[in-house]
Each structure stands twice: as structure tokens, then as C-alpha cells.
Amino acid sequence: QLQLVESGGGLVQTGGSLRLSCAASGRTFDSHAMGWFRQAPGKEREFVASISWNGDTTYYGDSVKGRFTTRRDNAKNTVYLQMSSLKPEDTAVYYCAAHLGLINRARAMRDSSYDYWGQGTQVTISS
């Protein structure tokens, strides 16, 4: 079982950058693909990014491609989401999630594919 805790959210101006972290507790972190999702008020949860268990494969949602990057450090049981060129429409609660085993793009984009979720961290982009 994994417990996930996100951090790094905050208030940033348009065009700025933020780095989110998701720290996992548990000895099987490196067996899990990790995903990032976000949810804005009144909207459905949206896929942001995912990364394979070894970091070799990443997928990104169309709205963040080219601006966001995810990576992981299995020695630290942590996955990161580097966000740049931020826009007001990026404002949302950001969640990390874990999926045991391999995952392809189609499954990575579905929140139902993930077994564990963090509590979320608020990201607010001011215009």
C-alpha cells in the first residue's frame, strides 16, 4: 500500500513556474507508474501527466504538453511535476496517483486506472 502526499502548490503569476512534489511512503514505490491529475471548480478531473515505474516513459495531456514535465526519483520515493509558462486556466487542485505495474497511454489518462491518490495541492495562477 502507498500513501501519497503532494506539496509545492501556491499562488503564481501568469507565465511563472512551480514544481510540485509527491512523496510516497511504502516499499513498492518503484513498482508503480505515477500520474498527475487536476480538478478545477465545477470541472471534471483532468489528466495532466504520467510516468512509468522507471521513468523511461512519460505521457502528457494536450493542454500541458510542452509546458509541464514530470520525473521521478525512486531513491527518494518522490515524483515531481515541473510546471512552466503557467496560465490562469492551470488553476486547479493537483493530485498525484499511483498505479501498480505497467500502464499505456490510454490507461494512464483514466483516473480509474490508479490505485492510490494523494490529498491534492492547490495551484492558483493569477492573471
Side-chain angles (χ1 to χ4, degrees), residues 13-14 29 31 38 40-41 43 49-50 53 55 71 73-74 76 87 89 91 94-95 112 116-119 123-124:
Q13 289 187 332
T14 296
F29 175 72
S31 298
R38 66 186 183 185
K43 294 189 176 181
S50 70
W53 66 273
R71 67 174 182 89
D73 185 338
N74 287 345
K76 295 183 178 180
K87 307 174 183 179
E89 50 264 45
T91 295
Y94 283 71
Y95 300 90
S112 60
Y116 305 104
W117 289 82
Q119 83 291 346
V123 172
T124 303

Side-chain angles (χ1 to χ4, degrees), residues 10-62:
L11 173 64
V12 177
Q13 289 187 332
T14 296
S17 299
L18 271 179
R19 188 181 78 165
L20 305 184
S21 300
C22 173
S25 61
R27 292 180 294 175
T28 61
F29 175 72
D30 57 5
S31 298
H32 289 75
M34 300 298 296
W36 289 95
F37 288 79
R38 66 186 183 185
Q39 189 165 23
K43 294 189 176 181
E44 293 186 353
R45 190 151 50 186
E46 177 189 13
F47 170 73
V48 174
S50 70
I51 186 166
S52 59
W53 66 273
N54 60 0
D56 282 356
T57 302
T58 55
Y59 302 115
Y60 295 94
D62 289 341

Side-chain angles (χ1 to χ4, degrees), residues 53-104:
W53 66 273
N54 60 0
D56 282 356
T57 302
T58 55
Y59 302 115
Y60 295 94
D62 289 341
S63 62
V64 306
K65 205 171 294 183
R67 301 187 298 123
F68 290 11
T69 303
T70 188
R71 67 174 182 89
R72 65 190 296 161
D73 185 338
N74 287 345
K76 295 183 178 180
N77 276 18
T78 302
V79 62
Y80 304 96
L81 182 68
Q82 180 68 47
M83 307 185 294
S84 59
S85 301
L86 286 162
K87 307 174 183 179
E89 50 264 45
D90 293 319
T91 295
V93 177
Y94 283 71
Y95 300 90
C96 68
H99 168 84
L100 180 63
L102 301 177
I103 198 167
N104 59 26

Side-chain angles (χ1 to χ4, degrees), residues 106-119:
R107 293 191 68 188
M109 295 178 68
R110 294 198 297 265
D111 55 8
S112 60
S113 298
Y114 294 85
D115 308 299
Y116 305 104
W117 289 82
Q119 83 291 346

